[in-house]
Amino acid sequence: QVQLVESGGGLVQAGDSLRLSCAASGLTFNSYRMGWFRQAPGKEREFVATISSNGAVTAYADSVKGRFTISRDNAKNTVSLQMSSLKPEDTAVYYCAAGRLPGMKRESYSYWGQGTQVTVSS
């Protein structure tokens, strides 16, 4: 049974930093591309960042490029999202996802975590 468990969300002020983590189990972690998505109230879930199975290739949404960094530790089966210079518009539930297909679309990911809330106050 595949499980993805996010942690690290919380309430921060604009300009602060926050680090999200996702612990994976039940899958061959180093065979999967990992991604972070987010969903704000009343909006669709959107792509944030992705990292290839070996960690060599990353990609980001334009809205977070230069502020967020995705990384992974295949020895610990974890993926992280370091977020800095947070803005109120970054407020959302953040989801960790695993998939074998390339790309930034939700359809490319087979497994999803339950999400962790990030709230950025102005």
PDB file of all heavy atoms in Angstrom, residues 75-117:
ATOM      1  N   ALA A  75      17.646   7.829  -0.245  1.00  0.00           N
ATOM      2  CA  ALA A  75      18.029   6.913   0.833  1.00  0.00           C
ATOM      3  C   ALA A  75      16.992   6.926   1.951  1.00  0.00           C
ATOM      4  O   ALA A  75      16.834   5.935   2.680  1.00  0.00           O
ATOM      5  CB  ALA A  75      19.393   7.293   1.382  1.00  0.00           C
ATOM      6  N   LYS A  76      16.279   8.057   2.087  1.00  0.00           N
ATOM      7  CA  LYS A  76      15.286   8.189   3.157  1.00  0.00           C
ATOM      8  C   LYS A  76      13.863   8.181   2.631  1.00  0.00           C
ATOM      9  O   LYS A  76      12.918   8.311   3.412  1.00  0.00           O
ATOM     10  CB  LYS A  76      15.536   9.484   3.934  1.00  0.00           C
ATOM     11  CG  LYS A  76      16.870   9.514   4.660  1.00  0.00           C
ATOM     12  CD  LYS A  76      17.031  10.808   5.444  1.00  0.00           C
ATOM     13  CE  LYS A  76      18.353  10.811   6.212  1.00  0.00           C
ATOM     14  NZ  LYS A  76      18.541  12.083   6.974  1.00  0.00           N
ATOM     15  N   ASN A  77      13.698   8.037   1.326  1.00  0.00           N
ATOM     16  CA  ASN A  77      12.362   8.039   0.708  1.00  0.00           C
ATOM     17  C   ASN A  77      11.575   9.298   1.049  1.00  0.00           C
ATOM     18  O   ASN A  77      10.385   9.232   1.411  1.00  0.00           O
ATOM     19  CB  ASN A  77      11.566   6.797   1.131  1.00  0.00           C
ATOM     20  CG  ASN A  77      12.064   5.526   0.481  1.00  0.00           C
ATOM     21  OD1 ASN A  77      13.098   5.532  -0.180  1.00  0.00           O
ATOM     22  ND2 ASN A  77      11.349   4.446   0.678  1.00  0.00           N
ATOM     23  N   THR A  78      12.244  10.417   0.940  1.00  0.00           N
ATOM     24  CA  THR A  78      11.578  11.679   1.234  1.00  0.00           C
ATOM     25  C   THR A  78      11.795  12.689   0.102  1.00  0.00           C
ATOM     26  O   THR A  78      12.808  12.657  -0.593  1.00  0.00           O
ATOM     27  CB  THR A  78      12.086  12.300   2.541  1.00  0.00           C
ATOM     28  OG1 THR A  78      13.498  12.517   2.443  1.00  0.00           O
ATOM     29  CG2 THR A  78      11.786  11.400   3.733  1.00  0.00           C
ATOM     30  N   VAL A  79      10.835  13.574  -0.033  1.00  0.00           N
ATOM     31  CA  VAL A  79      10.940  14.703  -0.937  1.00  0.00           C
ATOM     32  C   VAL A  79      10.550  15.951  -0.151  1.00  0.00           C
ATOM     33  O   VAL A  79       9.654  15.891   0.693  1.00  0.00           O
ATOM     34  CB  VAL A  79      10.066  14.518  -2.199  1.00  0.00           C
ATOM     35  CG1 VAL A  79       8.604  14.364  -1.833  1.00  0.00           C
ATOM     36  CG2 VAL A  79      10.273  15.654  -3.173  1.00  0.00           C
ATOM     37  N   SER A  80      11.238  17.035  -0.410  1.00  0.00           N
ATOM     38  CA  SER A  80      11.005  18.263   0.341  1.00  0.00           C
ATOM     39  C   SER A  80      10.738  19.431  -0.598  1.00  0.00           C
ATOM     40  O   SER A  80      11.112  19.400  -1.777  1.00  0.00           O
ATOM     41  CB  SER A  80      12.224  18.584   1.217  1.00  0.00           C
ATOM     42  OG  SER A  80      12.450  17.567   2.165  1.00  0.00           O
ATOM     43  N   LEU A  81      10.097  20.438  -0.047  1.00  0.00           N
ATOM     44  CA  LEU A  81       9.865  21.675  -0.778  1.00  0.00           C
ATOM     45  C   LEU A  81      10.252  22.821   0.153  1.00  0.00           C
ATOM     46  O   LEU A  81       9.555  23.074   1.136  1.00  0.00           O
ATOM     47  CB  LEU A  81       8.410  21.807  -1.209  1.00  0.00           C
ATOM     48  CG  LEU A  81       8.090  23.011  -2.091  1.00  0.00           C
ATOM     49  CD1 LEU A  81       8.735  22.844  -3.467  1.00  0.00           C
ATOM     50  CD2 LEU A  81       6.580  23.188  -2.242  1.00  0.00           C
ATOM     51  N   GLN A  82      11.347  23.464  -0.149  1.00  0.00           N
ATOM     52  CA  GLN A  82      11.783  24.625   0.607  1.00  0.00           C
ATOM     53  C   GLN A  82      11.158  25.857  -0.010  1.00  0.00           C
ATOM     54  O   GLN A  82      11.375  26.144  -1.192  1.00  0.00           O
ATOM     55  CB  GLN A  82      13.310  24.733   0.579  1.00  0.00           C
ATOM     56  CG  GLN A  82      13.851  25.937   1.308  1.00  0.00           C
ATOM     57  CD  GLN A  82      13.626  25.856   2.809  1.00  0.00           C
ATOM     58  OE1 GLN A  82      13.868  24.832   3.426  1.00  0.00           O
ATOM     59  NE2 GLN A  82      13.157  26.957   3.395  1.00  0.00           N
ATOM     60  N   MET A  83      10.383  26.570   0.792  1.00  0.00           N
ATOM     61  CA  MET A  83       9.659  27.735   0.294  1.00  0.00           C
ATOM     62  C   MET A  83      10.186  28.975   0.999  1.00  0.00           C
ATOM     63  O   MET A  83      10.245  29.008   2.236  1.00  0.00           O
ATOM     64  CB  MET A  83       8.162  27.572   0.553  1.00  0.00           C
ATOM     65  CG  MET A  83       7.583  26.277   0.001  1.00  0.00           C
ATOM     66  SD  MET A  83       5.798  26.154   0.204  1.00  0.00           S
ATOM     67  CE  MET A  83       5.701  26.035   1.984  1.00  0.00           C
ATOM     68  N   SER A  84      10.549  29.970   0.236  1.00  0.00           N
ATOM     69  CA  SER A  84      11.032  31.212   0.817  1.00  0.00           C
ATOM     70  C   SER A  84      10.293  32.386   0.200  1.00  0.00           C
ATOM     71  O   SER A  84       9.598  32.233  -0.807  1.00  0.00           O
ATOM     72  CB  SER A  84      12.540  31.355   0.611  1.00  0.00           C
ATOM     73  OG  SER A  84      12.857  31.372  -0.768  1.00  0.00           O
ATOM     74  N   SER A  85      10.449  33.537   0.815  1.00  0.00           N
ATOM     75  CA  SER A  85       9.766  34.757   0.343  1.00  0.00           C
ATOM     76  C   SER A  85       8.286  34.485   0.095  1.00  0.00           C
ATOM     77  O   SER A  85       7.734  34.858  -0.946  1.00  0.00           O
ATOM     78  CB  SER A  85      10.439  35.292  -0.929  1.00  0.00           C
ATOM     79  OG  SER A  85      11.800  35.562  -0.716  1.00  0.00           O
ATOM     80  N   LEU A  86       7.661  33.847   1.060  1.00  0.00           N
ATOM     81  CA  LEU A  86       6.268  33.449   0.888  1.00  0.00           C
ATOM     82  C   LEU A  86       5.348  34.651   0.760  1.00  0.00           C
ATOM     83  O   LEU A  86       5.575  35.703   1.379  1.00  0.00           O
ATOM     84  CB  LEU A  86       5.838  32.561   2.046  1.00  0.00           C
ATOM     85  CG  LEU A  86       6.355  31.115   1.947  1.00  0.00           C
ATOM     86  CD1 LEU A  86       6.283  30.418   3.303  1.00  0.00           C
ATOM     87  CD2 LEU A  86       5.555  30.345   0.902  1.00  0.00           C
ATOM     88  N   LYS A  87       4.321  34.467  -0.045  1.00  0.00           N
ATOM     89  CA  LYS A  87       3.340  35.514  -0.304  1.00  0.00           C
ATOM     90  C   LYS A  87       1.960  35.019   0.108  1.00  0.00           C
ATOM     91  O   LYS A  87       1.715  33.806   0.125  1.00  0.00           O
ATOM     92  CB  LYS A  87       3.327  35.840  -1.800  1.00  0.00           C
ATOM     93  CG  LYS A  87       4.677  36.222  -2.370  1.00  0.00           C
ATOM     94  CD  LYS A  87       4.577  36.411  -3.882  1.00  0.00           C
ATOM     95  CE  LYS A  87       5.935  36.755  -4.490  1.00  0.00           C
ATOM     96  NZ  LYS A  87       5.846  36.928  -5.971  1.00  0.00           N
ATOM     97  N   PRO A  88       1.042  35.933   0.396  1.00  0.00           N
ATOM     98  CA  PRO A  88      -0.326  35.493   0.732  1.00  0.00           C
ATOM     99  C   PRO A  88      -0.937  34.601  -0.356  1.00  0.00           C
ATOM    100  O   PRO A  88      -1.693  33.677  -0.030  1.00  0.00           O
ATOM    101  CB  PRO A  88      -1.072  36.813   0.878  1.00  0.00           C
ATOM    102  CG  PRO A  88      -0.034  37.785   1.334  1.00  0.00           C
ATOM    103  CD  PRO A  88       1.216  37.382   0.590  1.00  0.00           C
ATOM    104  N   GLU A  89      -0.593  34.843  -1.601  1.00  0.00           N
ATOM    105  CA  GLU A  89      -1.148  34.019  -2.679  1.00  0.00           C
ATOM    106  C   GLU A  89      -0.568  32.606  -2.726  1.00  0.00           C
ATOM    107  O   GLU A  89      -1.025  31.777  -3.513  1.00  0.00           O
ATOM    108  CB  GLU A  89      -0.951  34.707  -4.037  1.00  0.00           C
ATOM    109  CG  GLU A  89       0.463  35.177  -4.311  1.00  0.00           C
ATOM    110  CD  GLU A  89       0.657  36.657  -3.983  1.00  0.00           C
ATOM    111  OE1 GLU A  89       0.184  37.114  -2.910  1.00  0.00           O
ATOM    112  OE2 GLU A  89       1.310  37.351  -4.799  1.00  0.00           O
ATOM    113  N   ASP A  90       0.408  32.319  -1.889  1.00  0.00           N
ATOM    114  CA  ASP A  90       0.912  30.952  -1.753  1.00  0.00           C
ATOM    115  C   ASP A  90       0.041  30.125  -0.800  1.00  0.00           C
ATOM    116  O   ASP A  90       0.269  28.920  -0.656  1.00  0.00           O
ATOM    117  CB  ASP A  90       2.347  30.949  -1.243  1.00  0.00           C
ATOM    118  CG  ASP A  90       3.336  31.555  -2.225  1.00  0.00           C
ATOM    119  OD1 ASP A  90       3.213  31.277  -3.442  1.00  0.00           O
ATOM    120  OD2 ASP A  90       4.224  32.297  -1.776  1.00  0.00           O
ATOM    121  N   THR A  91      -0.914  30.754  -0.167  1.00  0.00           N
ATOM    122  CA  THR A  91      -1.804  30.057   0.753  1.00  0.00           C
ATOM    123  C   THR A  91      -2.590  28.979   0.020  1.00  0.00           C
ATOM    124  O   THR A  91      -3.244  29.261  -0.984  1.00  0.00           O
ATOM    125  CB  THR A  91      -2.773  31.048   1.423  1.00  0.00           C
ATOM    126  OG1 THR A  91      -2.013  31.943   2.246  1.00  0.00           O
ATOM    127  CG2 THR A  91      -3.802  30.311   2.269  1.00  0.00           C
ATOM    128  N   ALA A  92      -2.486  27.756   0.505  1.00  0.00           N
ATOM    129  CA  ALA A  92      -3.138  26.624  -0.156  1.00  0.00           C
ATOM    130  C   ALA A  92      -2.870  25.361   0.656  1.00  0.00           C
ATOM    131  O   ALA A  92      -2.042  25.365   1.578  1.00  0.00           O
ATOM    132  CB  ALA A  92      -2.606  26.438  -1.575  1.00  0.00           C
ATOM    133  N   VAL A  93      -3.564  24.302   0.285  1.00  0.00           N
ATOM    134  CA  VAL A  93      -3.196  22.965   0.749  1.00  0.00           C
ATOM    135  C   VAL A  93      -2.173  22.425  -0.248  1.00  0.00           C
ATOM    136  O   VAL A  93      -2.421  22.434  -1.457  1.00  0.00           O
ATOM    137  CB  VAL A  93      -4.414  22.041   0.836  1.00  0.00           C
ATOM    138  CG1 VAL A  93      -3.967  20.637   1.255  1.00  0.00           C
ATOM    139  CG2 VAL A  93      -5.439  22.588   1.818  1.00  0.00           C
ATOM    140  N   TYR A  94      -1.048  21.969   0.278  1.00  0.00           N
ATOM    141  CA  TYR A  94       0.033  21.469  -0.565  1.00  0.00           C
ATOM    142  C   TYR A  94       0.038  19.947  -0.544  1.00  0.00           C
ATOM    143  O   TYR A  94       0.003  19.339   0.530  1.00  0.00           O
ATOM    144  CB  TYR A  94       1.369  22.022  -0.081  1.00  0.00           C
ATOM    145  CG  TYR A  94       1.586  23.455  -0.504  1.00  0.00           C
ATOM    146  CD1 TYR A  94       0.859  24.487   0.082  1.00  0.00           C
ATOM    147  CD2 TYR A  94       2.491  23.784  -1.502  1.00  0.00           C
ATOM    148  CE1 TYR A  94       1.030  25.803  -0.321  1.00  0.00           C
ATOM    149  CE2 TYR A  94       2.681  25.102  -1.908  1.00  0.00           C
ATOM    150  CZ  TYR A  94       1.937  26.096  -1.315  1.00  0.00           C
ATOM    151  OH  TYR A  94       2.106  27.407  -1.711  1.00  0.00           O
ATOM    152  N   TYR A  95       0.110  19.364  -1.730  1.00  0.00           N
ATOM    153  CA  TYR A  95       0.046  17.924  -1.885  1.00  0.00           C
ATOM    154  C   TYR A  95       1.338  17.393  -2.494  1.00  0.00           C
ATOM    155  O   TYR A  95       1.865  17.962  -3.452  1.00  0.00           O
ATOM    156  CB  TYR A  95      -1.110  17.532  -2.797  1.00  0.00           C
ATOM    157  CG  TYR A  95      -2.466  17.884  -2.275  1.00  0.00           C
ATOM    158  CD1 TYR A  95      -3.049  19.107  -2.560  1.00  0.00           C
ATOM    159  CD2 TYR A  95      -3.182  16.981  -1.491  1.00  0.00           C
ATOM    160  CE1 TYR A  95      -4.297  19.434  -2.086  1.00  0.00           C
ATOM    161  CE2 TYR A  95      -4.455  17.299  -1.010  1.00  0.00           C
ATOM    162  CZ  TYR A  95      -4.998  18.525  -1.310  1.00  0.00           C
ATOM    163  OH  TYR A  95      -6.244  18.845  -0.833  1.00  0.00           O
ATOM    164  N   CYS A  96       1.779  16.283  -1.971  1.00  0.00           N
ATOM    165  CA  CYS A  96       2.892  15.532  -2.520  1.00  0.00           C
ATOM    166  C   CYS A  96       2.318  14.467  -3.456  1.00  0.00           C
ATOM    167  O   CYS A  96       1.251  13.903  -3.170  1.00  0.00           O
ATOM    168  CB  CYS A  96       3.642  14.890  -1.349  1.00  0.00           C
ATOM    169  SG  CYS A  96       4.908  13.709  -1.772  1.00  0.00           S
ATOM    170  N   ALA A  97       3.012  14.200  -4.558  1.00  0.00           N
ATOM    171  CA  ALA A  97       2.523  13.217  -5.516  1.00  0.00           C
ATOM    172  C   ALA A  97       3.675  12.426  -6.114  1.00  0.00           C
ATOM    173  O   ALA A  97       4.793  12.941  -6.227  1.00  0.00           O
ATOM    174  CB  ALA A  97       1.735  13.905  -6.621  1.00  0.00           C
ATOM    175  N   ALA A  98       3.383  11.195  -6.510  1.00  0.00           N
ATOM    176  CA  ALA A  98       4.384  10.314  -7.120  1.00  0.00           C
ATOM    177  C   ALA A  98       3.855   9.753  -8.429  1.00  0.00           C
ATOM    178  O   ALA A  98       2.682   9.382  -8.513  1.00  0.00           O
ATOM    179  CB  ALA A  98       4.738   9.175  -6.171  1.00  0.00           C
ATOM    180  N   GLY A  99       4.702   9.706  -9.425  1.00  0.00           N
ATOM    181  CA  GLY A  99       4.273   9.172 -10.708  1.00  0.00           C
ATOM    182  C   GLY A  99       5.445   8.684 -11.531  1.00  0.00           C
ATOM    183  O   GLY A  99       6.597   8.996 -11.232  1.00  0.00           O
ATOM    184  N   ARG A 100       5.132   7.941 -12.591  1.00  0.00           N
ATOM    185  CA  ARG A 100       6.191   7.432 -13.457  1.00  0.00           C
ATOM    186  C   ARG A 100       6.257   8.178 -14.775  1.00  0.00           C
ATOM    187  O   ARG A 100       7.233   8.072 -15.502  1.00  0.00           O
ATOM    188  CB  ARG A 100       5.982   5.937 -13.723  1.00  0.00           C
ATOM    189  CG  ARG A 100       6.261   5.055 -12.510  1.00  0.00           C
ATOM    190  CD  ARG A 100       6.086   3.605 -12.890  1.00  0.00           C
ATOM    191  NE  ARG A 100       6.382   2.706 -11.803  1.00  0.00           N
ATOM    192  CZ  ARG A 100       7.557   2.139 -11.620  1.00  0.00           C
ATOM    193  NH1 ARG A 100       8.557   2.403 -12.434  1.00  0.00           N
ATOM    194  NH2 ARG A 100       7.747   1.301 -10.621  1.00  0.00           N
ATOM    195  N   LEU A 101       5.205   8.942 -15.077  1.00  0.00           N
ATOM    196  CA  LEU A 101       5.169   9.635 -16.351  1.00  0.00           C
ATOM    197  C   LEU A 101       5.820  11.005 -16.224  1.00  0.00           C
ATOM    198  O   LEU A 101       5.741  11.630 -15.168  1.00  0.00           O
ATOM    199  CB  LEU A 101       3.725   9.792 -16.826  1.00  0.00           C
ATOM    200  CG  LEU A 101       2.947   8.502 -17.056  1.00  0.00           C
ATOM    201  CD1 LEU A 101       1.517   8.825 -17.433  1.00  0.00           C
ATOM    202  CD2 LEU A 101       3.631   7.656 -18.110  1.00  0.00           C
ATOM    203  N   PRO A 102       6.433  11.477 -17.291  1.00  0.00           N
ATOM    204  CA  PRO A 102       7.006  12.832 -17.239  1.00  0.00           C
ATOM    205  C   PRO A 102       5.909  13.875 -17.308  1.00  0.00           C
ATOM    206  O   PRO A 102       4.782  13.594 -17.701  1.00  0.00           O
ATOM    207  CB  PRO A 102       7.875  12.871 -18.493  1.00  0.00           C
ATOM    208  CG  PRO A 102       7.223  11.911 -19.430  1.00  0.00           C
ATOM    209  CD  PRO A 102       6.670  10.810 -18.563  1.00  0.00           C
ATOM    210  N   GLY A 103       6.243  15.081 -16.894  1.00  0.00           N
ATOM    211  CA  GLY A 103       5.291  16.160 -17.061  1.00  0.00           C
ATOM    212  C   GLY A 103       4.838  16.798 -15.771  1.00  0.00           C
ATOM    213  O   GLY A 103       5.162  16.348 -14.673  1.00  0.00           O
ATOM    214  N   MET A 104       4.049  17.849 -15.931  1.00  0.00           N
ATOM    215  CA  MET A 104       3.598  18.646 -14.806  1.00  0.00           C
ATOM    216  C   MET A 104       2.098  18.548 -14.599  1.00  0.00           C
ATOM    217  O   MET A 104       1.540  19.260 -13.785  1.00  0.00           O
ATOM    218  CB  MET A 104       4.000  20.104 -15.039  1.00  0.00           C
ATOM    219  CG  MET A 104       5.482  20.272 -15.353  1.00  0.00           C
ATOM    220  SD  MET A 104       5.859  21.969 -15.832  1.00  0.00           S
ATOM    221  CE  MET A 104       7.534  21.785 -16.440  1.00  0.00           C
ATOM    222  N   LYS A 105       1.447  17.688 -15.328  1.00  0.00           N
ATOM    223  CA  LYS A 105       0.001  17.574 -15.203  1.00  0.00           C
ATOM    224  C   LYS A 105      -0.374  16.601 -14.090  1.00  0.00           C
ATOM    225  O   LYS A 105       0.343  15.645 -13.800  1.00  0.00           O
ATOM    226  CB  LYS A 105      -0.599  17.103 -16.534  1.00  0.00           C
ATOM    227  CG  LYS A 105      -0.396  18.062 -17.674  1.00  0.00           C
ATOM    228  CD  LYS A 105      -1.057  17.540 -18.935  1.00  0.00           C
ATOM    229  CE  LYS A 105      -0.882  18.518 -20.089  1.00  0.00           C
ATOM    230  NZ  LYS A 105      -1.522  18.017 -21.334  1.00  0.00           N
ATOM    231  N   ARG A 106      -1.515  16.854 -13.483  1.00  0.00           N
ATOM    232  CA  ARG A 106      -1.983  15.960 -12.423  1.00  0.00           C
ATOM    233  C   ARG A 106      -2.091  14.519 -12.908  1.00  0.00           C
ATOM    234  O   ARG A 106      -1.840  13.576 -12.153  1.00  0.00           O
ATOM    235  CB  ARG A 106      -3.341  16.435 -11.914  1.00  0.00           C
ATOM    236  CG  ARG A 106      -3.274  17.697 -11.070  1.00  0.00           C
ATOM    237  CD  ARG A 106      -4.638  18.065 -10.571  1.00  0.00           C
ATOM    238  NE  ARG A 106      -5.546  18.411 -11.642  1.00  0.00           N
ATOM    239  CZ  ARG A 106      -6.827  18.683 -11.470  1.00  0.00           C
ATOM    240  NH1 ARG A 106      -7.360  18.617 -10.272  1.00  0.00           N
ATOM    241  NH2 ARG A 106      -7.585  19.013 -12.490  1.00  0.00           N
ATOM    242  N   GLU A 107      -2.452  14.359 -14.165  1.00  0.00           N
ATOM    243  CA  GLU A 107      -2.648  13.025 -14.729  1.00  0.00           C
ATOM    244  C   GLU A 107      -1.354  12.214 -14.799  1.00  0.00           C
ATOM    245  O   GLU A 107      -1.385  10.999 -14.993  1.00  0.00           O
ATOM    246  CB  GLU A 107      -3.257  13.146 -16.128  1.00  0.00           C
ATOM    247  CG  GLU A 107      -4.664  13.700 -16.174  1.00  0.00           C
ATOM    248  CD  GLU A 107      -4.725  15.205 -15.954  1.00  0.00           C
ATOM    249  OE1 GLU A 107      -3.687  15.881 -16.092  1.00  0.00           O
ATOM    250  OE2 GLU A 107      -5.832  15.693 -15.643  1.00  0.00           O
ATOM    251  N   SER A 108      -0.227  12.880 -14.656  1.00  0.00           N
ATOM    252  CA  SER A 108       1.057  12.190 -14.704  1.00  0.00           C
ATOM    253  C   SER A 108       1.407  11.505 -13.389  1.00  0.00           C
ATOM    254  O   SER A 108       2.392  10.778 -13.307  1.00  0.00           O
ATOM    255  CB  SER A 108       2.176  13.181 -15.057  1.00  0.00           C
ATOM    256  OG  SER A 108       1.970  13.741 -16.336  1.00  0.00           O
ATOM    257  N   TYR A 109       0.608  11.759 -12.362  1.00  0.00           N
ATOM    258  CA  TYR A 109       0.913  11.254 -11.026  1.00  0.00           C
ATOM    259  C   TYR A 109      -0.136  10.251 -10.561  1.00  0.00           C
ATOM    260  O   TYR A 109      -1.333  10.503 -10.674  1.00  0.00           O
ATOM    261  CB  TYR A 109       1.034  12.422 -10.045  1.00  0.00           C
ATOM    262  CG  TYR A 109       2.189  13.328 -10.406  1.00  0.00           C
ATOM    263  CD1 TYR A 109       2.039  14.335 -11.347  1.00  0.00           C
ATOM    264  CD2 TYR A 109       3.445  13.134  -9.840  1.00  0.00           C
ATOM    265  CE1 TYR A 109       3.109  15.131 -11.711  1.00  0.00           C
ATOM    266  CE2 TYR A 109       4.516  13.937 -10.197  1.00  0.00           C
ATOM    267  CZ  TYR A 109       4.344  14.926 -11.139  1.00  0.00           C
ATOM    268  OH  TYR A 109       5.406  15.711 -11.500  1.00  0.00           O
ATOM    269  N   SER A 110       0.349   9.131 -10.044  1.00  0.00           N
ATOM    270  CA  SER A 110      -0.545   8.035  -9.668  1.00  0.00           C
ATOM    271  C   SER A 110      -0.935   8.060  -8.200  1.00  0.00           C
ATOM    272  O   SER A 110      -1.999   7.561  -7.843  1.00  0.00           O
ATOM    273  CB  SER A 110       0.149   6.699  -9.969  1.00  0.00           C
ATOM    274  OG  SER A 110       0.537   6.611 -11.324  1.00  0.00           O
ATOM    275  N   TYR A 111      -0.056   8.581  -7.367  1.00  0.00           N
ATOM    276  CA  TYR A 111      -0.284   8.517  -5.923  1.00  0.00           C
ATOM    277  C   TYR A 111      -0.211   9.924  -5.328  1.00  0.00           C
ATOM    278  O   TYR A 111       0.627  10.735  -5.744  1.00  0.00           O
ATOM    279  CB  TYR A 111       0.762   7.619  -5.265  1.00  0.00           C
ATOM    280  CG  TYR A 111       0.783   6.220  -5.824  1.00  0.00           C
ATOM    281  CD1 TYR A 111       1.815   5.784  -6.644  1.00  0.00           C
ATOM    282  CD2 TYR A 111      -0.246   5.325  -5.536  1.00  0.00           C
ATOM    283  CE1 TYR A 111       1.833   4.511  -7.171  1.00  0.00           C
ATOM    284  CE2 TYR A 111      -0.244   4.048  -6.053  1.00  0.00           C
ATOM    285  CZ  TYR A 111       0.797   3.645  -6.878  1.00  0.00           C
ATOM    286  OH  TYR A 111       0.805   2.376  -7.397  1.00  0.00           O
ATOM    287  N   TRP A 112      -1.070  10.144  -4.341  1.00  0.00           N
ATOM    288  CA  TRP A 112      -1.185  11.463  -3.736  1.00  0.00           C
ATOM    289  C   TRP A 112      -1.230  11.352  -2.217  1.00  0.00           C
ATOM    290  O   TRP A 112      -1.793  10.403  -1.675  1.00  0.00           O
ATOM    291  CB  TRP A 112      -2.462  12.162  -4.211  1.00  0.00           C
ATOM    292  CG  TRP A 112      -2.432  12.479  -5.666  1.00  0.00           C
ATOM    293  CD1 TRP A 112      -2.742  11.638  -6.700  1.00  0.00           C
ATOM    294  CD2 TRP A 112      -2.064  13.725  -6.249  1.00  0.00           C
ATOM    295  NE1 TRP A 112      -2.580  12.285  -7.898  1.00  0.00           N
ATOM    296  CE2 TRP A 112      -2.169  13.568  -7.662  1.00  0.00           C
ATOM    297  CE3 TRP A 112      -1.659  14.951  -5.747  1.00  0.00           C
ATOM    298  CZ2 TRP A 112      -1.890  14.601  -8.545  1.00  0.00           C
ATOM    299  CZ3 TRP A 112      -1.375  15.984  -6.620  1.00  0.00           C
ATOM    300  CH2 TRP A 112      -1.491  15.807  -8.011  1.00  0.00           C
ATOM    301  N   GLY A 113      -0.663  12.359  -1.567  1.00  0.00           N
ATOM    302  CA  GLY A 113      -0.802  12.467  -0.123  1.00  0.00           C
ATOM    303  C   GLY A 113      -2.093  13.169   0.241  1.00  0.00           C
ATOM    304  O   GLY A 113      -2.875  13.571  -0.643  1.00  0.00           O
ATOM    305  N   GLN A 114      -2.315  13.343   1.540  1.00  0.00           N
ATOM    306  CA  GLN A 114      -3.545  13.956   2.028  1.00  0.00           C
ATOM    307  C   GLN A 114      -3.453  15.476   2.075  1.00  0.00           C
ATOM    308  O   GLN A 114      -4.479  16.151   2.214  1.00  0.00           O
ATOM    309  CB  GLN A 114      -3.874  13.419   3.417  1.00  0.00           C
ATOM    310  CG  GLN A 114      -4.272  11.943   3.411  1.00  0.00           C
ATOM    311  CD  GLN A 114      -5.494  11.698   2.543  1.00  0.00           C
ATOM    312  OE1 GLN A 114      -6.533  12.325   2.722  1.00  0.00           O
ATOM    313  NE2 GLN A 114      -5.368  10.793   1.580  1.00  0.00           N
ATOM    314  N   GLY A 115      -2.244  15.996   1.970  1.00  0.00           N
ATOM    315  CA  GLY A 115      -2.076  17.438   1.930  1.00  0.00           C
ATOM    316  C   GLY A 115      -1.724  18.048   3.273  1.00  0.00           C
ATOM    317  O   GLY A 115      -2.036  17.491   4.332  1.00  0.00           O
ATOM    318  N   THR A 116      -1.076  19.197   3.211  1.00  0.00           N
ATOM    319  CA  THR A 116      -0.754  19.962   4.413  1.00  0.00           C
ATOM    320  C   THR A 116      -1.048  21.429   4.135  1.00  0.00           C
ATOM    321  O   THR A 116      -0.743  21.946   3.061  1.00  0.00           O
ATOM    322  CB  THR A 116       0.723  19.745   4.826  1.00  0.00           C
ATOM    323  OG1 THR A 116       0.978  20.413   6.063  1.00  0.00           O
ATOM    324  CG2 THR A 116       1.701  20.264   3.766  1.00  0.00           C
ATOM    325  N   GLN A 117      -1.672  22.088   5.100  1.00  0.00           N
ATOM    326  CA  GLN A 117      -2.120  23.462   4.908  1.00  0.00           C
ATOM    327  C   GLN A 117      -0.965  24.441   5.117  1.00  0.00           C
ATOM    328  O   GLN A 117      -0.250  24.374   6.126  1.00  0.00           O
ATOM    329  CB  GLN A 117      -3.246  23.795   5.884  1.00  0.00           C
ATOM    330  CG  GLN A 117      -3.730  25.238   5.831  1.00  0.00           C
ATOM    331  CD  GLN A 117      -4.500  25.556   4.563  1.00  0.00           C
ATOM    332  OE1 GLN A 117      -5.384  24.800   4.153  1.00  0.00           O
ATOM    333  NE2 GLN A 117      -4.176  26.678   3.931  1.00  0.00           N
TER     334      GLN A 117
END
